[in-house]
């Protein structure tokens, strides 16, 4: 079985991802970014930038670094940055589970629909907290498994199928939030009827 980040959805189907998944998610990603009220000069990291569909949502007065493990996905993001002349955006190939940045590097660390894709989501969360400055925010949007035991059992049953497609259905929000020096400030559906959850947590000083 291929690891999620090795799935064809994230390599030779990058065009498909951009056209389908990107269009489905881009509006609420931009709305989340806008709600953060980013200030001039802030350093922002997006973990799992993919084809760069979220990048238009960042104001030009912040410095944005985006990483992704897929060269195919990243090539689309690079082209998007070049076409739009976004000089405030820097893109790098990198592993979300082993971020190549010093501790306390970024004011905000964002990730959209990625943490259930990586092989070790708890390690990814640890890395995001590590590179976030004290007082900074960890922001994520993702679908998490229900705490309801019956629904969680169903998610577990279909998980072998979704793993082949590139993501897990068994990840619960508490699995990644527990054990970190953070305070959760927002935990809510992205929209009223959304199956995706917005989590904003602040790294304790």
């Amino acid at each position: 079985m291929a690891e999620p980040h090795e799935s064809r959805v994230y390599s030779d189907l990058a065009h498909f991802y951009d056209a389908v998944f990107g269009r489905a998610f881009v509006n609420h990603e931009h709305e989340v970014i806008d709600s953060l009220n980013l200030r001039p000069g802030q350093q922002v990291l997006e973990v799992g930038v993919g084809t760069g569909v979220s990048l238009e949502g960042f104001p030009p007065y912040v410095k944005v670094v985006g990483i992704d493990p897929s060269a195919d996905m990243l090539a689309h993001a690079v082209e998007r940055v070049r076409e739009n002349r976004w000089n405030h955006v820097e893109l790098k190939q990198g592993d979300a589970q082993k971020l190549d940045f010093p501790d306390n590097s970024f004011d905000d660390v964002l990730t959209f629909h990625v943490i259930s894709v990586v092989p070790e989501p708890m390690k990814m969360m640890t890395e995001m907290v590590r590179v976030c400055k004290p007082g900074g925010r960890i922001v994520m949007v993702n679908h998490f498994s229900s705490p309801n035991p019956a629904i969680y059992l169903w998610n577990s049953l279909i998980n072998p199928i979704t793993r082949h497609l590139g993501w897990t259905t068994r990840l619960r929000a508490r699995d990644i939030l527990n054990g970190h020096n953070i305070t959760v400030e927002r935990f809510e559906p992205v929209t009223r009827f959304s199956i995706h959850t917005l989590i904003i947590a602040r790294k304790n000083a």
Side-chain angles (χ1 to χ4, degrees):
M1 180 186 301
E3 295 292 1
H5 64 286
E6 296 171 341
S7 168
R8 291 183 66 240
V9 174
Y10 304 97
S11 55
D12 53 321
L13 294 184
H15 280 292
F16 172 81
Y17 178 95
D18 203 22
V20 178
F21 292 100
R23 293 191 182 195
F25 299 150
V26 66
N27 286 340
H28 70 236
E29 292 178 8
H30 290 178
E31 289 168 2
V32 168
I33 293 168
D34 187 59
S35 75
L36 298 175
N37 296 313
L38 297 169
R39 300 185 306 276
Q42 283 190 289
Q43 304 282 321
V44 180
L45 174 66
E46 183 177 347
V47 182
V49 69
T51 60
V53 295
S54 65
L55 294 176
E56 188 176 0
F58 291 101
Y61 50 75
V62 300
K63 171 65 176 179
V64 181
V65 178
I67 70 153
D68 202 274
S70 169
D72 301 275
M73 298 281 277
L74 207 56
H76 289 268
V78 168
E79 182 64 16
R80 180 175 269 122
V81 169
R82 186 192 65 79
E83 289 179 349
N84 289 281
R85 299 180 181 178
W86 289 332
N87 296 323
H88 61 293
V89 176
E90 178 183 359
L91 299 173
K92 297 181 177 182
Q93 192 166 6
D95 184 354
Q97 302 156 116
K98 191 177 181 181
L99 295 173
D100 190 22
F101 304 102
D103 297 355
N104 309 321
S105 293
F106 297 94
D107 298 289
D108 293 279
V109 181
L110 286 67
T111 186
F112 300 114
H113 308 287
V114 173
I115 202 159
S116 56
V117 168
V118 298
E120 298 183 74
M122 276 65 86
K123 184 178 289 187
M124 174 178 165
M125 184 66 180
T126 297
E127 282 291 275
M128 290 195 298
V129 174
R130 179 184 67 79
V131 302
C132 185
K133 295 177 182 179
R137 294 171 294 188
I138 296 94
V139 181
M140 69 182 75
V141 172
N142 212 87
H143 175 262
F144 295 100
S145 186
S146 171
N148 182 298
I151 298 176
Y152 185 74
L153 175 60
W154 166 249
N155 287 334
S156 298
L157 292 173
I158 66 173
N159 191 63
I161 299 171
T162 63
R163 287 288 293 184
H164 277 293
L165 296 173
W167 66 88
T168 178
T169 55
R170 298 187 63 205
L171 183 65
R172 294 169 292 198
R174 71 186 189 198
D175 297 334
I176 58 169
L177 294 176
N178 291 345
H180 296 288
N181 187 30
I182 58 175
T183 299
V184 176
E185 296 184 339
R186 293 177 66 183
F187 187 107
E188 60 199 38
V190 174
T191 61
R192 184 178 179 184
F193 299 109
S194 177
I195 63 171
H196 298 110
T197 300
L198 167 65
I199 298 174
I200 299 180
R202 194 170 295 274
K203 183 174 178 178
N204 297 329

